Amino acid sequence: MATSSQNSNQPWEPPTPGELQEMIPSYEIHGFLGRGGMGAVYEGRQDTLDRIVAIKLLPESLAGQDEEHNYIERFKLEARAMAGLDHPAIVSVYDFGQTSRGHLYFVMEFIDGMDIQKYIEVSGGKVSAEHTTAIVSHVLDALEYAHGKGIVHRDIKPANVLINREGRVKIADFGLAKEIGKEGAGAGLTVSNIAMGTPDYIAPESLEVGSVPDARADIYAVGVMLYQMLTGKLPRGMFRLPSELEDSLAPGIDTIVARAMESDPEHRY
């Protein structure tokens, strides 16, 4: 595995599409889909099967920090978790490998559309109850399937749920996924004393030292996402219930949100 001499305080610069093309010649790289300090995602074409794909790349610089943060094992777990889940509302994984310069990568289904965070924005800041219910129903169906297979996502949020041009919903980004129900599975993949996830969507028990969140942490995150889609706001502090912010919403929605976001996971769905 190649490591980088790049200063860890400097932002990671992913390979250009042309550079990645040279590293994995079996794929035709079209351009970036997204990038950040934890990796980059490219659009490409799998030559052998003539299909458009998305390619997720792990920065080689993170491999040098792996003893402390387990980046390699977490990246492998993400690919393994997604590859082992065969559900119409979960992004499929097709291939896994290593570039000629030492980057780990995996190849997955390309979704021609947008994430739900963007969908909220283009919908005027919030989404109709009808469309919200449809989207969240698909997310819950996929999570029920994943939980049944022993996988907890741990980072459900609008940015990690995609919708294509035909309106099909797909959960993506299992980078913080945890395997449950297996002896030792997932052990050591969490940095000590650091809650895994995105702050506004993290279940309260995830912030407790020594706590091992289960599938109900995903349910809490779905409750936050439901609230956000319906109201255009995040439920922070002593938040008001959805129907108090939107007269058009039925009070029954309040009950669903409140139960999904119960501070005690024993009281959630």
Side-chain angles (χ1 to χ4, degrees), residues 19 22 64 67 90 103 109 120 130 132 137 142 156 160 174 188 191 196 215 217 243 251 257 259:
E19 289 170 338
E22 295 178 0
E67 184 175 336
I90 296 175
H103 309 78
E109 178 183 7
I120 293 172
E130 180 183 7
T132 295
S137 293
I156 291 294
N160 285 341
F174 280 71
V191 184
M196 307 300 285
S243 70
V257 168
R259 184 171 175 187

Side-chain angles (χ1 to χ4, degrees), residues 1 15 31 35 37-38 41 43 45 69 80 86 100 107 136 143 151 157 159 161-162 166 182 228-229 233-234 260-261:
M1 169 64 64
R35 49 183 158 173
M38 295 295 292
V41 181
E43 178 185 337
R45 187 175 69 87
H69 294 92
R80 185 168 64 244
D86 182 13
S100 59
V107 181
V136 171
L143 286 175
I151 299 293
K157 58 184 178 182
V161 179
L162 310 176
E166 287 74 45
K182 297 180 183 178
Q228 181 182 2
M229 292 178 70
K233 303 178 185 298
L234 284 164
M261 293 184 61

Side-chain angles (χ1 to χ4, degrees), residues 85-99:
L85 298 176
D86 182 13
H87 190 278
I90 296 175
V91 171
S92 298
V93 164
Y94 303 140
D95 192 14
F96 183 91
Q98 188 171 9
T99 73

